[in-house]
């Protein structure tokens, strides 16, 4: 399994997932930088993502939707705060309505991604989500966030193997 650790810290309002990949940071970075690669893992296997906009630069936006097994669509957005290719990315992540506009009825979270070389050919990716309140954290965790992002990240190894060829 790609994800090697999940830490839920209600006091700090954070959820941190740590994963290890058999690829250097520059190659792992491509799963964030390339919208077609992002589509292949951002949603859980049964909810594949379609990236609509992908402006991965400070002040940029990423919009997407995930399509469920019944054809239902779930929209989301990022507001990119910082990009330090190929080692880091920070963005605000939220839910959107069917037109792609932020949904004010759902909480947002701040996400910090860090890619750290682990030897010459491996990378440790840490994804830390910070929630505005304990209630927001509990709401998103109870909706299956941990299981969803763990399953989504589990698709990265195959994507990296494809890109090595």
């Amino acid at each position: 399994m790609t994800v090697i650790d999940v830490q839920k810290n209600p006091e700090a309002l954070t959820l941190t997932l740590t994963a290890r990949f058999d690829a250097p940071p520059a190659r792992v970075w491509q799963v964030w930088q390339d919208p077609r690669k992002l589509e292949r893992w951002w949603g859980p296997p049964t909810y594949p993502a379609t990236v609509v906009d992908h402006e991965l630069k400070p002040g940029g936006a990423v919009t997407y939707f995930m399509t469920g097994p019944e054809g239902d669509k779930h929209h989301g957005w990022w507001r990119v705060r910082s990009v330090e290719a190929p080692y880091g990315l920070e963005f605000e992540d939220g839910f959107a309505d069917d037109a792609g506009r932020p949904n004010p009825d759902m909480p947002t979270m701040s996400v910090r991604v860090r890619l750290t070389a682990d030897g010459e050919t491996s990378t440790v990716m840490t994804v830390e989500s910070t929630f505005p309140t304990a209630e927001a954290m509990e709401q998103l965790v109870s909706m299956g966030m941990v299981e969803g992002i763990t399953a989504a990240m589990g698709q990265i190894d195959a994507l990296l193997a494809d890109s090595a060829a």
Side-chain angles (χ1 to χ4, degrees):
M1 178 52 79
T2 300
V3 174
I4 57 173
D5 189 42
V6 178
Q7 295 290 321
K8 183 179 167 187
N9 185 333
E11 292 80 32
L13 302 176
T14 59
L15 177 69
T16 305
L17 283 86
T18 305
R20 183 180 316 280
F21 302 100
D22 291 329
R27 219 165 89 229
V28 176
W29 174 253
Q30 292 299 311
V31 305
W32 294 95
Q33 183 176 11
D34 181 334
R36 302 299 70 93
K37 290 181 181 178
L38 183 62
E39 286 178 332
R40 292 180 55 196
W41 75 270
W42 182 247
T46 57
Y47 283 81
T50 300
V51 175
V52 179
D53 299 299
H54 189 270
E55 194 177 14
L56 203 62
K57 64 180 189 178
V62 174
T63 60
Y64 64 92
F65 61 89
M66 293 183 279
T67 305
E70 307 297 319
D72 48 313
K73 291 188 178 0
H74 305 272
H75 296 261
W77 55 268
W78 301 350
R79 285 190 193 110
V80 181
R81 292 185 176 149
S82 70
V83 177
E84 299 168 31
Y87 299 106
L89 168 66
E90 294 185 26
F91 57 94
E92 184 179 3
D93 183 15
F95 292 85
D97 63 20
D98 291 343
R101 293 180 301 257
N103 181 346
D105 297 329
M106 293 295 292
T108 63
M109 65 192 115
S110 295
V111 179
R112 189 178 101 173
V113 178
R114 291 290 173 254
L115 303 177
T116 307
D118 185 25
E120 292 184 24
T121 60
S122 294
T123 300
V124 172
M125 179 165 63
T126 304
V127 179
E128 181 184 76
S129 300
T130 303
F131 303 86
T133 65
E135 294 77 21
M137 181 177 186
E138 190 52 43
Q139 177 183 2
L140 294 176
V141 168
S142 70
M143 290 172 58
M145 179 184 171
V146 174
E147 297 82 2
I149 192 69
T150 300
M153 286 181 142
Q155 301 171 106
I156 294 175
D157 281 325
L159 182 56
L160 292 170
D162 286 351
S163 68

